[in-house]
Amino acid sequence: MPSSTTWFIFGITLVFLTVTRCIADGKLRKSKYKNIIFVGPTGIGTVIGFFQLLLGTRDFIQEGYDQHYGKLFAIPTLFQMTIVVSGHDLIEDIRKASDDQLSLYGSIKEGMQTDYTMEPHILENPYHFRFIHLSLTRDLGGRFPELKEEVIAAFSELVPPTDGEEFILILRDFSSNKSRDWTTFPAWLTGKLVVLRVVNRLFVGPSLCNNSDYNEINDAYSDALVKTALIIGFTPGFLKPIVSRLLDVYIPKTLRRAMKHISPLVEERLEKEKLFGADWAGKSNDLLSWLIEKTPESDKLSVTTIKAITIRLLATMFAAYRPASMALTQALFDLATFPVYIPELRAEVESIVKEEGISKDSIGKMYKLDSFIKESLRLRAGGKASMPRKVLKDFTFSNGTTVFAGSSIIAPGYAIHHDARHYSNPADFDGFRFARLREEQDDPVRYQMVSVGPTFMMFGNGRHACPGRFLVSALLKTMLAHVLMTYDIKLEHNGRRPTDKWYTFSPAPNQTAGLLFRRRSAPSC
């Protein structure tokens, strides 16, 4: 590792080059984009403005949305032009644009710096995401018993339903509180571990999903990926190879740890395939099996192949578990903050479970629960930037404004979700908002959680809407249904909802707050 002196000298050099480059880039952008509104400082002030936006001290996206709704406007960013697109018609232009004009994968490549944080071919051929879109989504009903089983097992171990005199400390490094038969558990850590277990059950099977080291690796990989991408993203292009080499320790180290778990599992499955055929009895229908099948026969046991499979597993998990675990934690906070909804939600869940049990079809009938979770997502999830696209070819919007190749565009998701033009009393939590709209307009599809459109952008919009939203919906409804039937729940600190934390453009649930759980006498689902 470089010495602290080397890092200091490098940092000073980097800051000088960054400021110099930003001033030059700012002048070029200003002259090229004469018809674009600039919100916030320009020139050398761009650097200050960018960090104001990044640190949340000034929200240029919301300012631009309030002042220039229905138009395109630029915000302060480093090394590239970032344009915010607002208004229904212009957002529809993004949805309709071809991939060779406005590229989602180009935006992901730039945002996650995949040339430096992953193998280049991972994003060039992201066939692992097709497992979510094609195999898992279509067979979710068949996989549902596994999902349900793991949800029950995970909550039973991580949030043991304690009686008055029982207390089991499952999660270390947390100051636990026990008052009568209420027990405090760390909300974010608990939600994260539950989601890690359940999603890994569908990705790598039962033998590995409950392995604490492997789940810790998934979490560590996600953190390393985000931090590395952020640092490299702040670096001028000509310095990125140097910076990436200085940082080239965190992701490879985590990857090697993960390969130690994946390699024997691949060998075991290939051995069974050799002995009993391709469709051997008990073969797991999970992401790992799907990735093995896509690998040429001659390469299946090579180190390069194991590495490629592991990267795709970790990358898919990164995309799946972080949004789901944040959404679960926020929904649990909202359930505890607004207990007035609990009796009606519980009555809906218990009535349906009594008649049909817990299944993909039965949770699809839990309209009020679906509405409650969607409202939580609307208020607290997604982030300030939605529908990111990289402009690959000059593109002219329907209002005549042209954006040039090399720039980036985003839709202001958070501002849209808090806009009174789309939602009455948008700042208020209205848990049955979407259930009422569904009933009033007799539209069972438009207002469900997985539906996307220009006014609900948690999962994007159009053909590139998140293919994992059906899995996320099933996960969240199954987990919340289980909590409602198994526990009573309330907030710490006299009922004050923990304040969300903002990281760059995205909100996250409070990571230190706890929730109090108490076992109910009624049986769980």
Side-chain angles (χ1 to χ4, degrees):
M1 289 288 292
S3 66
S4 57
T5 303
T6 303
W7 274 113
F8 177 77
I9 295 172
F10 177 77
I12 294 295
T13 305
L14 179 60
V15 169
F16 173 76
L17 292 172
T18 298
V19 172
T20 304
R21 184 67 176 269
C22 282
I23 294 172
D25 285 354
K27 291 178 179 178
L28 287 174
R29 290 184 223 161
K30 196 77 173 177
S31 61
K32 189 174 184 180
Y33 285 90
K34 294 180 180 179
N35 296 325
I36 294 287
I37 301 164
F38 280 76
V39 177
T42 57
I44 190 171
T46 300
V47 179
I48 299 171
F50 172 73
F51 282 101
Q52 286 179 318
L53 181 63
L54 185 71
L55 299 174
T57 59
R58 189 172 172 188
D59 190 346
F60 296 108
I61 297 177
Q62 187 67 55
E63 287 182 27
Y65 186 85
D66 293 338
Q67 297 169 14
H68 308 291
Y69 179 80
K71 299 178 181 178
L72 286 79
F73 57 90
I75 57 175
T77 49
L78 304 180
F79 313 126
Q80 65 170 358
M81 185 74 169
T82 299
I83 299 168
V84 182
V85 179
S86 67
H88 179 277
D89 292 343
L90 300 183
I91 288 175
E92 277 292 287
D93 291 341
I94 300 177
R95 184 184 67 82
K96 295 175 182 177
S98 63
D99 292 341
D100 64 346
Q101 294 174 308
L102 306 179
S103 171
L104 170 63
Y105 287 116
S107 178
I108 295 173
K109 179 180 180 180
E110 183 171 79
M112 297 310 301
Q113 296 293 320
T114 56
D115 285 346
Y116 306 100
T117 59
M118 297 183 187
E119 300 289 333
H121 66 276
I122 298 295
L123 199 60
E124 292 170 4
N125 184 18
Y127 61 79
H128 48 292
F129 288 127
R130 288 197 288 273
F131 168 79
I132 304 293
H133 182 60
L134 299 175
S135 181
L136 184 55
T137 298
R138 291 178 181 177
D139 193 35
L140 192 54
R143 303 294 306 279
F144 203 87
E146 298 173 67
L147 186 154
K148 171 190 168 184
E149 179 182 69
E150 202 59 43
V151 165
I152 295 172
F155 270 103
S156 295
E157 293 180 26
L158 296 169
V159 188
T162 57
D163 294 320
E165 298 304 320
E166 293 179 343
F167 175 65
I168 305 172
L169 182 60
I170 298 296
L171 301 171
R172 62 183 180 273
D173 300 328
F174 184 77
S175 179
S176 299
N177 170 55
K178 181 181 175 223
S179 176
R180 296 184 181 176
D181 49 351
W182 288 97
T183 306
T184 305
F185 293 92
W188 164 241
L189 180 57
T190 303
K192 183 168 64 173
L193 292 176
V194 169
V195 172
L196 276 167
R197 278 188 54 168
V198 177
V199 176
N200 266 327
R201 174 69 179 265
L202 302 177
F203 282 7
V204 294
S207 64
L208 195 52
C209 75
N210 195 22
N211 185 295
S212 59
D213 185 60
Y214 184 70
N215 285 330
E216 184 183 330
I217 288 168
N218 279 272
D219 190 42
Y221 178 83
S222 297
D223 283 341
L225 188 63
V226 170
K227 291 173 182 176
T228 303
L230 198 62
I231 294 171
I232 296 175
F234 289 168
T235 306
F238 66 96
L239 287 175
K240 288 182 188 292
I242 300 172
V243 174
S244 66
R245 281 195 290 272
L246 291 172
L247 297 173
D248 192 24
V249 60
Y250 307 111
I251 292 177
K253 180 181 178 181
T254 307
L255 184 59
R256 287 192 296 272
R257 283 177 62 197
M259 289 173 65
K260 292 179 181 178
H261 291 283
I262 298 302
S263 183
L265 207 54
V266 172
E267 292 176 11
E268 177 188 344
R269 295 190 184 189
L270 289 177
E271 182 63 25
K272 289 183 177 179
E273 181 178 312
K274 182 179 178 181
L275 293 173
F276 308 115
D279 296 319
W280 46 276
K283 179 181 178 180
S284 296
N285 180 24
D286 54 26
L287 176 57
L288 178 57
S289 291
W290 202 80
L291 292 173
I292 293 172
E293 289 175 6
K294 298 298 177 184
T295 303
E297 193 67 34
S298 58
D299 294 337
K300 285 185 175 179
L301 279 176
S302 72
V303 174
T304 303
T305 298
I306 298 297
K307 180 181 179 182
I309 287 175
T310 304
I311 290 175
R312 289 184 187 272
L313 281 168
L314 294 174
T316 311
M317 191 59 169
F318 167 76
Y321 110 85
R322 273 301 177 92
S325 56
M326 288 185 183
L328 172 62
T329 308
Q330 295 283 32
L332 289 173
F333 278 140
D334 285 329
L335 199 63
T337 303
F338 304 102
V340 66
Y341 291 102
I342 291 178
E344 209 164 337
L345 288 170
R346 188 172 279 157
E348 177 186 64
V349 171
E350 289 179 340
S351 173
I352 292 172
V353 171
K354 182 178 179 181
E355 293 293 325
E356 305 180 35
I358 288 283
S359 67
K360 179 177 179 288
D361 291 337
S362 70
I363 64 169
K365 298 176 182 178
M366 297 176 185
Y367 302 142
K368 291 177 181 177
L369 182 60
D370 186 283
S371 175
F372 185 92
I373 298 170
K374 183 172 182 176
E375 177 72 349
S376 181
L377 293 173
R378 179 191 72 82
L379 267 179
R380 317 189 195 286
K384 295 177 183 177
S386 302
M387 291 184 75
R389 299 290 189 270
K390 186 69 178 178
V391 183
L392 301 184
K393 297 179 180 177
D394 293 356
F395 181 82
T396 301
F397 283 85
S398 56
N399 69 348
T401 304
T402 298
V403 293
F404 299 101
S407 58
S408 295
I409 59 176
I410 57 174
Y414 191 84
I416 289 170
H417 290 172
H418 293 74
D419 189 339
R421 282 173 285 237
H422 309 312
Y423 300 100
S424 60
N425 302 313
D428 296 339
F429 183 91
D430 182 353
F432 295 151
R433 179 191 302 273
F434 297 104
R436 286 197 309 274
L437 289 169
R438 180 198 293 250
E439 186 175 331
E440 291 168 0
Q441 301 183 22
D442 192 24
D443 191 337
V445 175
R446 180 181 177 187
Y447 296 107
Q448 61 184 344
M449 190 196 317
V450 295
S451 296
V452 296
T455 61
F456 184 72
M457 310 189 75
M458 168 63 191
F459 301 109
N461 190 19
R463 67 183 179 279
H464 285 306
C466 174
R469 65 189 186 277
F470 300 97
L471 172 61
V472 171
S473 173
L475 282 171
L476 294 176
K477 285 197 277 190
T478 305
M479 292 171 180
L480 265 292
H482 178 71
V483 168
L484 285 163
M485 295 188 70
T486 309
Y487 306 96
D488 290 321
I489 182 173
K490 68 178 182 179
L491 294 171
E492 290 184 304
H493 311 308
N494 301 317
R496 294 191 302 274
R497 192 187 196 283
T499 304
D500 290 343
K501 305 294 183 182
W502 280 85
Y503 298 93
T504 60
F505 290 173
S506 299
N510 190 294
Q511 297 189 9
T512 60
L515 281 170
L516 279 76
F517 288 84
R518 178 177 66 183
R519 182 178 186 173
R520 296 181 68 230
S521 58
S524 68
C525 62

